[in-house]
Amino acid sequence: MKIGLIGDSLTEGRPGVSFVNILKENYPKITFDNLGKPGETVKSLHTRLTKIKLDYDLIFLWIGVNDVYSKLLRVQAQPVANNPEEFEEYYNKVLELVIASSKQVVTVSPAIVGETSQNEFNKEIKNLSSIIQSLSKNHVNVSFLDMHSVFEIHLSRVTSSDYISIKVMRVMLDVLFYKNPTSIDRLSKKRGLHFTLDGIHLNSTGAALVADEYSTMIDRLLFNDHKSIQ
């Protein structure tokens, strides 16, 4: 049984803690292909997918956060969608490619840009999530996972700082010097954050949260465990 994990640096697991490694430990009999790429946007992902051939039992498609977050950076590694209409156009193209490559697909909404859920960036994330959900409803073999709402619920229970890394060099330094969960969680706490290292990328708590949501979908779609859905 093979699962493909398509996404950006959150899926790759750098910087921050990898939720994919948690899945690999929890499902030793499943092959997980980590297809995450740092800085990936919906437009750059479309270009990448047209050049590779995929074949999976289940694909998780987690893309979109960089179409908001990378606009805050001084250097944009990949082209971003200029508006919601362009995002919808390219996401639909990506989804069609993914559907043709897997028996089942889970579209995952972008999570957060900053742990202040009501900031302007997360309002944009919420809009993109609605677009993804709407497109997903058009396909019988596509399930939607609202990761933004998952984080929003958990953020409502804590008080986080508004820290967001907006300097590319700072992100690069985090990749180089904070590689193990202990040091990542320590820096996260120092920054006043609960689920991320820098407002975007996951710490141990955030990675466990994502892994749990992915596991719920895996159990339901591949093992018919409907009891795991509340």
Side-chain angles (χ1 to χ4, degrees), residues 16 26 39 61 63 68 72 77 80 83 104 109 132 162 173 175 190 193 198 217 227 229:
N26 291 343
L61 173 61
I63 196 71
V68 177
L72 305 179
V80 301
N83 50 57
Q104 294 280 345
S109 75
I132 294 171
D162 59 359
L173 289 173
V175 173
K190 182 179 179 181
L193 302 169
D198 52 14
M217 300 303 293
K227 291 186 294 184
I229 303 294

Side-chain angles (χ1 to χ4, degrees), residues 1-206:
M1 195 172 293
K2 292 178 61 179
I3 294 179
L5 304 165
I6 298 175
D8 46 44
S9 57
L10 289 170
T11 295
E12 189 198 40
R14 293 191 311 154
V17 179
S18 172
F19 73 89
V20 178
N21 288 341
I22 299 174
L23 293 175
K24 289 179 177 179
E25 292 179 4
N26 291 343
Y27 298 92
K29 295 183 179 180
I30 295 179
T31 298
F32 290 92
D33 284 352
N34 190 331
L35 302 171
K37 182 179 179 181
E40 195 82 290
T41 63
V42 69
K43 294 176 77 171
S44 64
L45 177 58
H46 176 255
T47 300
R48 176 157 66 111
L49 291 181
T50 59
K51 299 177 181 179
I52 59 176
K53 187 175 182 179
L54 306 175
D55 184 16
Y56 292 99
D57 297 291
L58 174 62
I59 285 179
F60 284 87
L61 173 61
W62 196 15
I63 196 71
V65 71
N66 284 319
D67 286 276
V68 177
Y69 173 52
S70 63
K71 295 174 185 177
L72 305 179
L73 303 175
R74 294 178 180 176
V75 178
Q76 293 182 2
Q78 302 293 349
V80 301
N82 294 311
N83 50 57
E85 291 76 22
E86 188 172 38
F87 180 87
E88 181 174 3
E89 175 189 352
Y90 274 89
Y91 194 95
N92 192 53
K93 291 179 180 179
V94 166
L95 184 55
E96 294 289 349
L97 290 171
V98 172
I99 288 172
S101 306
S102 182
K103 298 174 184 176
Q104 294 280 345
V105 175
V106 176
T107 56
V108 185
S109 75
I112 52 174
V113 176
E115 292 196 15
T116 306
S117 61
Q118 297 303 314
N119 67 28
E120 60 181 302
F121 315 117
N122 282 317
K123 290 178 181 177
E124 190 172 351
I125 289 290
K126 186 183 287 289
N127 187 29
L128 297 186
S129 298
S130 297
I131 291 172
I132 294 171
Q133 184 177 22
S134 179
L135 290 173
S136 301
K137 290 179 179 179
N138 296 328
H139 306 278
V140 294
N141 64 331
V142 176
S143 302
F144 175 68
L145 173 54
D146 192 350
M147 194 66 75
H148 178 68
S149 290
V150 170
F151 274 85
E152 199 172 41
I153 290 170
H154 283 78
L155 285 171
S156 69
R157 301 168 181 165
V158 298
T159 300
S160 296
S161 76
D162 59 359
Y163 181 95
I164 304 175
S165 286
I166 59 173
K167 296 182 179 179
V168 174
M169 183 57 68
R170 179 66 264 174
V171 177
M172 292 175 64
L173 289 173
D174 286 350
V175 173
L176 289 173
F177 294 107
Y178 297 90
K179 298 182 179 181
N180 66 77
T182 300
S183 63
I184 289 167
D185 292 346
R186 187 182 301 118
L187 180 58
S188 173
K189 184 177 181 180
K190 182 179 179 181
R191 291 170 172 171
L193 302 169
H194 291 267
F195 304 100
T196 67
L197 168 66
D198 52 14
I200 312 294
H201 304 96
L202 306 171
N203 63 14
S204 293
T205 303

